[in-house]
């Protein structure tokens, strides 16, 4: 057994058309925005800066700006979108607001990195993607973990056939956060499928390739009608199954196993944002050190939120309107699968 | 963290009406009979003896008898059933033969311990149970692991609320034996649900109590129509889910996690016949040493096949016609659930 500690391998920069830092405008002063800004502070400030933040309450925006040394703050999102010194918008609000805010940002001519899930359902997702394509503006869903170096190593191992033919993906993902308003109320986008199951869906598509699987799911609703837990199997061609259990009321092992005919790749806990792959049965471990910040983040390993910033800059530099790492097509597929899952469990959102 | 090594705690013997060893007649000279007889040899020979073995080929029976020091062997099952010096029959043949052989044994007045699955489907199971009840003869399905001391410890932990309210059971169970005839051909009872999924079903019923769950399943057939893999969720009352993935083409982690609101009990690999429970997050480990034999078994930990012999003797001693540890009612429920699973996957047996 050997343990290989690998340094973060940055995305190879092609010609850098942007002659200045990418100036980010942050929508919402909540938890994920907090971690996003801390993550961004680990990047080269000549490439990325948090230039302004907006919240519904100007006090919240001001407090957030002071805490993170952000020069500007706004008490309305529209002011942020209209700011000519902002290059790109990061939307960190809860998901029911993603569609209206992303469209509003694009109306002001701004490219958008939008937290996951991109929207509340398939229909909204199609609408937003079509809007971005019509406006010819960059749009990416913030499936941040896709941009981790560990995912490139994973792809390399799969391509090499390191575990033979992959037949199963098995994931448990439970975190006891079901008491949070945004997790429990359907009108705030509550439910474990959209909140955390989406991470399992994206990993399944990464491992099994970009095809539409059959979806078989069941789960339980809380008293407000959001799914407090669920178990889903995605059936792909060639006898391949991805099975995952999500829960908002328990802490699970939070490990992922990619099982092939000759071995297994284990993604260590927290699989969601893991920095460690283990090749079994030989026991080789691949660790990818995450960026380090002096400030502590709320979510585990979330300094890795910065990797997607590199991808956004790369895409904008190259004049791309979507990222090949998380394409519009795949965001739509993720939305379709999540909708199928939650409909089988019985979740209905006001947006449906 | 502490590791507690516990000696096997034998079932408390009440008055022992049997004045002689229980004389076992072994049906079939295959793999599981081999391990069963080795397991029995770890018991007190004044309580249990393998007295005779029968196989379809007298040569196989003779070879088996010599290998295991069994005094008598037969080239037909009927001769074994008619032997007046046999007290109880163990049926170790493949499952399509369980119903006819068990009935034949009972016709000769013999109580039966029959390998799992008891029968091929719900209908056959009901028929066999009714037959035993009519004949007033003891019948038990050989869900051997239920009789392990580790299961009593598990029950104790669950009853104490050691992990709070149990919400999820998550199991992976894959062993690459799909090339064996008895695993791949439907007419031989092939398919991972009946072959190995049944262990997950019985654990789910043990953990969540004896109630009929909703069954949601999907999986893939091999080219002969047996299920080479499957993923199933059993939905119990109170928002509780048991999710398990079975596979005949890969080796899986083979661990079980019983996830509660305050912690998790991990059943170490091989969960099927585990001797080790780990209480998480505190890390306490409970190990139950298995009986030791000088002969090596084929299946892992299968000297534990002996525990069920103790239960059979106890039941016969007490004049019971079924065991409270694995009741007829529960065997029927297991059969019903397995039938529902395989029908959702699309497996059809000649017996259906």
């Amino acid at each position: 057994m050997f343990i290989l500690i690998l340094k973060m391998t940055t995305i190879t920069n092609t010609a850098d058309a942007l002659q200045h830092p990418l100036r980010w405008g942050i929508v919402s002063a909540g938890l994920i925005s907090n971690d996003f800004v801390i993550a961004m502070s680990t990047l080269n400030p000549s490439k990325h800066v948090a230039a302004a933040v907006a919240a519904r309450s100007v006090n919240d925006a001001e407090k957030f700006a002071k805490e993170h040394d952000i020069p500007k703050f706004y008490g309305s999102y529209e002011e942020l979108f209209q700011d000519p010194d902002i290059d790109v918008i990061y939307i960190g609000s809860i998901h029911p607001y993603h569609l209206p805010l992303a469209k509003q940002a694009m109306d002001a001519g701004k490219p958008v990195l939008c937290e996951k899930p991109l929207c509340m359902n398939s229909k909204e997702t199609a609408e937003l993607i079509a809007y971005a394509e019509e406006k010819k503006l960059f749009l990416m869903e913030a499936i941040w973990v896709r941009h981790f170096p560990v995912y490139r190593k994973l792809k390399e191992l799969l391509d090499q056939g390191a575990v033979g033919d992959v037949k199963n993906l098995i994931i448990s993902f439970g975190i006891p956060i079901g008491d949070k308003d945004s997790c429990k109320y359907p009108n705030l986008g509550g439910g474990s499928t959209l909140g955390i199951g989406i991470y399992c869906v994206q990993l399944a598509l990464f491992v099994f390739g970009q095809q539409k699987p059959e979806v078989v799911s069941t789960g339980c609703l809380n008293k407000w009608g959001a799914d407090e837990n669920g178990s889903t199997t995605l059936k792909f061609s060639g006898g391949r199954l991805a099975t995952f259990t999500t829960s908002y009321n328990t802490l699970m092992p939070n490990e992922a196993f990619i099982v092939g005919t000759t071995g297994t790749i284990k993604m260590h806990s927290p699989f969601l944002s893991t920095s460690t792959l283990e090749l079994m049965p030989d026991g080789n471990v691949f660790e990818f050190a995450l960026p380090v910040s002096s400030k502590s983040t709320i979510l585990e390993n979330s300094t890795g939120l910065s990797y997607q910033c590199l991808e956004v800059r790369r895409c904008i530099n190259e004049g791309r309107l979507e990222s090949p790492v998380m394409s519009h097509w795949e965001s739509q597929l993720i939305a379709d699968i999540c909708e199928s899952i939650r409909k089988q469990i019985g979740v209905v959102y006001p947006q449906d």
Side-chain angles (χ1 to χ4, degrees), chain A:
Chain A
M1 199 242 259
F2 75 96
I3 297 185
L4 185 61
I5 309 280
L6 298 153
K7 294 284 287 182
M8 170 202 152
T9 50
T10 50
I11 295 166
T12 311
N13 273 319
T14 48
D16 200 338
L18 276 167
Q19 296 301 316
H20 58 79
L22 197 60
R23 295 165 300 180
W24 290 82
I26 310 299
V27 163
S28 170
L31 181 158
I32 189 71
S33 293
N34 174 76
D35 282 11
F36 181 77
V37 169
I38 291 173
M40 197 193 296
S41 72
T42 67
L43 299 176
N44 183 339
S46 75
K47 302 284 185 185
H48 296 273
V49 290
V53 59
R56 276 174 302 180
S57 138
V58 73
N59 289 339
D60 288 351
E62 182 175 13
K63 191 173 161 229
F64 189 94
K66 281 195 175 150
E67 205 170 309
H68 296 287
D69 296 317
I70 298 174
K72 284 196 271 191
F73 58 88
Y74 298 109
S76 85
Y77 300 128
E78 190 55 30
E79 287 174 274
L80 177 72
F81 300 148
Q82 295 301 336
D83 185 334
D85 297 329
I86 294 298
D87 299 311
V88 59
I89 297 293
Y90 168 75
I91 297 180
S93 64
I94 60 173
H95 19 295
Y97 302 126
H98 290 179
L99 176 66
L101 288 174
K103 285 174 73 176
Q104 214 179 325
M106 291 192 281
D107 286 340
K110 300 289 197 269
V112 169
L113 172 66
C114 179
E115 262 311 321
K116 35 70 38 198
L118 198 54
C119 294
M120 290 296 291
N121 57 25
S122 289
K123 187 185 59 169
E124 276 197 3
T125 306
E127 183 182 337
L128 181 56
I129 289 171
Y131 207 78
E133 286 169 0
E134 191 195 311
K135 294 274 182 186
K136 300 201 181 345
L137 285 168
F138 177 82
L139 169 69
M140 187 170 82
E141 185 176 13
I143 305 279
W144 54 302
V145 294
R146 270 290 176 92
H147 307 275
F148 275 42
V150 82
Y151 271 72
R152 287 200 290 281
K153 183 67 190 176
L154 176 55
K155 184 164 189 326
E156 189 185 307
L157 290 171
L158 296 175
D159 289 349
Q160 286 169 349
V163 292
D165 295 330
V166 176
K167 292 290 186 181
N168 284 91
L169 168 65
I170 300 173
I171 315 172
S172 64
F173 191 15
I175 37 178
I177 54 173
D179 281 343
K180 282 180 61 176
D181 286 354
S182 62
C183 295
K184 73 179 173 188
Y185 297 126
N187 66 322
L188 299 183
S192 69
T193 300
L194 285 198
I196 60 176
I198 189 171
Y199 286 108
C200 305
V201 173
Q202 75 79 22
L203 179 57
L205 295 178
F206 187 83
V207 169
F208 289 134
Q210 309 213 335
Q211 60 174 249
K212 195 172 174 66
E214 281 179 46
V215 179
V216 176
S217 187
T218 187
C220 305
L221 302 180
N222 66 16
K223 63 181 166 183
W224 300 278
D227 51 312
E228 65 182 12
N229 65 17
S231 280
T232 297
T233 299
L234 307 180
K235 185 173 164 184
F236 292 86
S237 62
R240 298 173 302 162
L241 303 178
T243 303
F244 50 89
T245 301
T246 56
S247 170
Y248 263 173
N249 48 30
T250 55
L251 180 68
M252 291 206 184
N254 295 345
E255 296 167 337
F257 295 90
I258 299 161
V259 183
T261 47
T262 62
T264 292
I265 298 168
K266 176 178 176 178
M267 301 178 78
H268 282 211
S269 178
F271 101 90
L272 150 67
S273 53
T274 195
S275 55
T276 308
L277 297 181
E278 181 179 349
L279 197 55
M280 306 197 299
D282 63 3
N284 290 343
V285 172
F286 304 93
E287 272 192 41
F288 293 79
L290 285 155
V292 176
S293 169
S294 55
K295 288 188 181 171
S296 56
T297 56
I298 298 165
L299 303 173
E300 208 166 352
N301 288 355
S302 66
T303 55
L305 282 158
S306 59
Y307 295 126
Q308 61 190 346
C309 298
L310 304 177
E311 176 66 0
V312 170
R313 188 177 165 109
R314 180 179 80 107
C315 289
I316 289 177
N317 248 326
E318 294 178 2
R320 293 178 188 264
L321 299 186
E322 62 180 308
S323 159
V325 179
M326 180 46 59
S327 69
H328 292 174
W329 186 89
E330 192 168 0
S331 282
Q332 185 67 54
L333 182 53
I334 290 172
D336 295 347
I337 293 170
C338 287
E339 179 157 325
S340 180
I341 292 170
R342 68 175 176 84
K343 284 191 171 167
Q344 289 182 50
I345 300 176
V347 181
V348 180
Y349 289 123
Q351 292 82 354
D352 290 339

